[in-house]
């Protein structure tokens, strides 16, 4: 029976809410999105937590540093340690601790150093006066040499007077033992104003004692001629040791018919550093073989505006250098050897005079110019033996066994391993008759490709006898250096920089550098 009293209501299935449990409603409320305010509150809470933990760790460290450094203010060994170098703890703090801690430690250290330096400065005058009374005349004589503005240099505790002495007659010039040196506010004020003081010899990196370096016996550290004392820049010895002064190379060539044998070369086409490296190799070969070295004509060098020759830079015409290597100009070489009986004799007076004219000064930039340098070099190449030294493919080896018995002799010597190691992937070019016999040996080092020498001499030339090899290393150190006027100008610039550095709180080492 149908019910007509109440209408039937139909509902969509989607309108009926799904039944949910109490636990499900709690989860939905828990993971609802956070507001911006809530996120800020959480972040601020985390930051506060990190700061609290940081201060809890750092505050005890500050206290420990203060306690430790206050405890060493009157402790001289600890102060000397601070003056000399940083402790290992400083290095660790630099890497692992907040910068504020490092700054705090540095501030306390500066306070300690200032206190100690003040004490030493207060006692410095008394100590100097006591030493002056002991030494007397000698100290006064050296003090007079100084300008009035330089008298502050007498305040250095170790080098004012007490270390000064004059070597007795026939006394060995061995290096005087270095006295312990105290730190002062002007650390660079040492031997530079006392040229009579015995200075350190120029020596190898190993720094062996004198009884193990007999080649240095009789040597003396060089000085530089300048209106300001810049002797600390001199890295060479002058004179050399007695043994080096008497050294004669066993590879010296004997000239046929009593004539000289020459070594000619061309400047490298690159910048001055490339030119210098090539030049060092040429000088070593000339010194080893005893050939007379012919300098290229004055010419324009790359990146230098005026015409130059190598004696503008290096003291090749000095008496001491000429004793090791005889050097002549290209002009003198042509005047002698183009004439009658010369190695390059020319009957054509026009060609001869043209070559001599170009040898006085040549144009290195224009090959077709009447005064082109190529005019000279082409003539020499056609009348000389060109050395086949190509430093990227060959290495030049000097061995007496090979010179006297031939290249096969190297197989029976202990030097073969050293030669193989030195040359590495390059082919050994042994100094033998092919290089020793020609009257004129020419190095085509101005070539654009094959014959350029772009390595240091100690990686190009090898002497299998270590004593000879070491001699020529000392030869380069002691003779292939710039003129004194160049060092003088450089030294004046360095002094100005050092003075400014001292004013800014920078210190210098024992040699006046830093």
């Amino acid at each position: 029976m149908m019910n007509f009293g109440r209408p039937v209501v139909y509902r969509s299935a989607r309108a009926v809410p799904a039944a949910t449990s109490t636990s499900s409603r709690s989860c939905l409320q828990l993971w609802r999105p956070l507001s911006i305010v809530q996120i800020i509150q959480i972040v601020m809470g985390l930051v506060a937590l990190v700061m609290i933990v940081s201060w809890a760790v750092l505050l005890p460290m500050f206290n420990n540093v203060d306690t430790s450094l206050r405890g060493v203010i009157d402790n001289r060994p600890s102060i000397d340690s601070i003056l000399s170098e940083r402790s290992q703890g400083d290095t660790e703090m630099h890497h692992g601790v907040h910068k504020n801690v490092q700054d705090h430690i540095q501030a306390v250290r500066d306070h300690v150093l200032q206190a100690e330096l003040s004490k030493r400065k207060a006692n410095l005058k008394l100590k100097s006066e006591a030493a002056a009374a002991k030494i007397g005349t000698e100290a006064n004589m050296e003090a007079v040499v100084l300008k009035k503005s330089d008298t502050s240099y007498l305040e250095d505790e170790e080098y004012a007077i007490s270390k000064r002495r004059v070597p007795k007659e026939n006394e060995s010039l061995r290096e005087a033992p270095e006295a312990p040196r105290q730190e002062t506010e002007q650390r660079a004020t040492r031997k530079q104003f006392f040229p009579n003081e015995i200075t350190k010899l120029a020596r190898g990196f190993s720094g062996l004692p004198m009884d193990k370096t007999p080649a240095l016996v009789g040597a003396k550290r060089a000085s530089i001629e300048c209106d300001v004392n810049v002797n600390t820049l001199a890295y060479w010895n002058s004179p050399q040791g007695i043994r080096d002064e008497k050294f004669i190379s066993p590879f010296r060539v004997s000239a046929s018919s009593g004539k000289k044998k020459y070594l000619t070369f061309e400047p490298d086409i690159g910048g001055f550093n490339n030119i210098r490296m090539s030049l060092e190799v040429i000088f070593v070969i000339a010194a080893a073989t005893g050939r007379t070295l012919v300098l290229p004509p004055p010419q324009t060098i790359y990146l230098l505006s005026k015409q130059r020759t190598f004696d503008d830079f290096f003291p090749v015409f000095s008496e001491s250098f000429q004793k090791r290597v005889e050097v002549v100009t290209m002009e003198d070489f042509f005047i002698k050897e183009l004439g009658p009986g010369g190695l390059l004799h020319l009957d054509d007076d026009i060609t001869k005079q043209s070559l001599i004219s170009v040898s006085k000064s040549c144009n290195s930039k224009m090959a077709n110019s009447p005064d082109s340098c190529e005019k000279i070099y082409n003539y020499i190449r056609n009348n000389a033996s060109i050395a086949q030294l190509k430093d990227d493919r060959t290495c030049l080896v000097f061995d007496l066994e090979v010179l006297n018995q031939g290249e096969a002799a190297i197989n029976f010597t202990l030097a073969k391993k050293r030669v193989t190691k030195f040359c590495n992937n390059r082919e050994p070019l042994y100094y033998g008759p092919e290089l020793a016999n020609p009257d004129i040996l020419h190095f085509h080092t101005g070539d654009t490709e094959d014959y350029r020498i772009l390595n240091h001499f100690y990686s190009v030339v090898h002497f299998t006898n270590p004593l000879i090899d070491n001699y020529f290393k000392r030869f380069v150190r002691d003779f292939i250096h710039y003129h004194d006027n160049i060092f003088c100008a450089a030294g004046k610039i360095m002094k100005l920089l050092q003075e400014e550095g001292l004013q800014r709180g920078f210190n210098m080492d024992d040699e006046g550098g830093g």
Side-chain angles (χ1 to χ4, degrees), residues 389-430:
L389 178 61
K390 306 172 183 180
D391 73 340
D392 60 335
R393 283 173 274 175
T394 58
C395 55
L396 183 58
V397 179
F398 285 84
D399 184 88
L400 282 175
E401 302 258 346
V402 172
L403 180 62
N404 296 327
Q405 303 176 29
E407 191 170 322
I410 195 69
N411 295 322
F412 304 100
T413 68
L414 297 176
K416 185 172 183 179
K417 280 188 175 181
R418 291 199 294 269
V419 171
T420 302
K421 182 178 180 181
F422 177 84
C423 294
N424 200 5
N425 295 323
R426 297 173 294 175
E427 186 71 21
L429 175 63
Y430 289 99

Side-chain angles (χ1 to χ4, degrees), residues 296-476:
Q299 57 193 275
T300 302
I301 297 176
Y302 178 60
L303 297 180
L304 298 180
S305 57
K306 297 181 180 179
Q307 285 196 332
R308 303 283 186 181
T309 185
F310 290 122
D311 64 298
D312 290 332
F313 302 96
F314 304 98
V316 294
F317 287 111
S318 66
E319 181 180 353
S320 58
F321 193 90
Q322 290 279 347
K323 179 182 176 182
R324 276 82 179 173
V325 182
E326 183 181 3
V327 181
V328 297
T329 64
M330 185 67 74
E331 181 184 3
D332 291 340
F333 170 66
F334 273 161
I335 290 175
K336 179 179 180 179
E337 299 304 336
L338 290 175
L343 296 173
L344 301 173
H345 173 64
L346 263 179
D347 293 326
D348 185 351
D349 287 340
I350 296 179
T351 303
K352 182 192 303 182
Q353 292 304 319
S354 175
L355 288 172
I356 293 175
S357 175
V358 177
S359 69
K360 297 178 182 179
S361 175
C362 66
N363 188 332
S364 60
K365 295 184 177 180
M366 301 178 65
N368 296 324
S369 172
D371 61 345
S372 171
C373 298
E374 281 297 306
K375 188 174 183 179
I376 288 178
Y377 298 140
N378 277 329
Y379 186 80
I380 294 176
R381 292 172 203 149
N382 293 330
N383 293 275
S385 176
I386 299 179
Q388 298 301 305
L389 178 61
K390 306 172 183 180
D391 73 340
D392 60 335
R393 283 173 274 175
T394 58
C395 55
L396 183 58
V397 179
F398 285 84
D399 184 88
L400 282 175
E401 302 258 346
V402 172
L403 180 62
N404 296 327
Q405 303 176 29
E407 191 170 322
I410 195 69
N411 295 322
F412 304 100
T413 68
L414 297 176
K416 185 172 183 179
K417 280 188 175 181
R418 291 199 294 269
V419 171
T420 302
K421 182 178 180 181
F422 177 84
C423 294
N424 200 5
N425 295 323
R426 297 173 294 175
E427 186 71 21
L429 175 63
Y430 289 99
Y431 181 76
E434 184 179 351
L435 295 174
N437 291 340
D439 291 325
I440 302 177
L441 182 64
H442 182 70
F443 286 83
H444 188 9
T445 43
D447 186 25
T448 56
E449 296 180 5
D450 288 343
Y451 294 99
R452 293 183 73 186
I453 299 176
L454 297 177
N455 284 297
H456 295 288
F457 74 96
Y458 47 77
S459 63
V460 178
V461 183
H462 177 65
F463 297 86
T464 55
N465 186 328
L467 295 178
I468 300 175
D469 196 64
N470 288 336
Y471 166 81
F472 283 105
K473 287 182 171 67
R474 293 192 296 273
F475 165 78
V476 172

Side-chain angles (χ1 to χ4, degrees), residues 97-267:
V97 178
H98 196 274
K99 186 178 182 299
N100 289 339
V101 179
Q102 189 73 20
D103 293 342
H104 179 72
I105 294 173
Q106 186 60 45
V108 179
R109 177 185 285 107
D110 291 342
H111 171 72
V112 174
L113 295 182
Q114 232 15 74
E116 175 63 14
L117 291 177
S118 298
K119 291 179 183 178
R120 293 181 181 181
K121 191 173 182 180
N123 296 328
L124 199 57
K125 187 175 181 180
L126 294 175
K127 292 183 179 180
S128 297
E129 290 176 353
K134 183 178 180 180
I135 304 299
T137 306
E138 182 186 354
N140 293 332
M141 290 177 63
E142 289 194 358
V144 170
V145 177
L146 299 177
K147 297 179 182 178
K148 185 176 181 181
S149 60
D150 294 331
T151 54
S152 61
Y153 288 92
L154 287 174
E155 296 179 1
D156 191 311
E157 182 177 6
E158 292 296 327
Y159 292 90
I161 299 163
S162 60
K163 193 169 180 280
R164 212 87 59 227
R165 68 181 183 87
V166 177
K168 299 178 181 178
E169 187 176 0
N170 299 326
E171 180 182 4
S172 173
L173 291 179
R174 294 186 176 187
E175 182 180 355
E178 191 77 20
R181 187 170 186 278
Q182 305 294 339
E183 198 78 37
T184 65
E185 290 179 300
Q186 292 186 336
R187 189 178 173 189
T189 61
R190 292 187 32 148
K191 311 170 192 174
Q192 48 191 346
F193 288 88
F194 299 97
N196 295 327
E197 182 179 333
I198 295 179
T199 56
K200 293 181 180 179
L201 291 173
R203 54 198 306 133
F205 176 76
S206 58
L208 295 174
M210 287 297 296
D211 59 351
K212 293 185 179 180
T213 53
L216 295 179
V217 174
K220 183 180 179 182
R221 182 75 171 265
S223 60
I224 297 172
E225 185 176 347
C226 184
D227 55 345
V228 175
N229 193 309
V230 294
N231 288 338
T232 54
L233 297 183
Y235 58 83
W236 61 94
N237 290 332
S238 181
Q240 287 188 305
I242 297 172
R243 193 174 79 177
D244 285 351
E245 290 283 347
K246 296 180 178 179
F247 178 83
I248 298 177
S249 173
F251 300 99
R252 294 176 68 88
V253 295
S254 57
S256 58
S257 305
K259 296 180 180 179
K260 291 181 179 179
K261 290 198 172 187
Y262 294 94
L263 189 155
T264 58
F265 70 101
E266 306 166 30

Side-chain angles (χ1 to χ4, degrees), residues 35-56:
S35 67
I36 295 177
V37 175
Q38 289 174 322
I39 293 174
I40 294 174
Q41 290 175 341
I42 292 173
V43 171
M44 292 180 64
L46 291 175
V47 171
L49 180 62
V50 171
M51 292 179 63
I52 293 172
V53 173
S54 298
W55 280 110

Side-chain angles (χ1 to χ4, degrees), residues 493-511:
I493 296 172
M494 290 183 61
K495 279 185 174 294
L496 293 175
L497 294 174
Q498 289 171 345
E499 289 176 6
E500 182 175 347
L502 288 172
Q503 294 172 3
R504 293 173 178 267
F506 293 97
N507 291 327
M508 282 166 277
D509 59 23
D510 294 343
E511 290 289 334

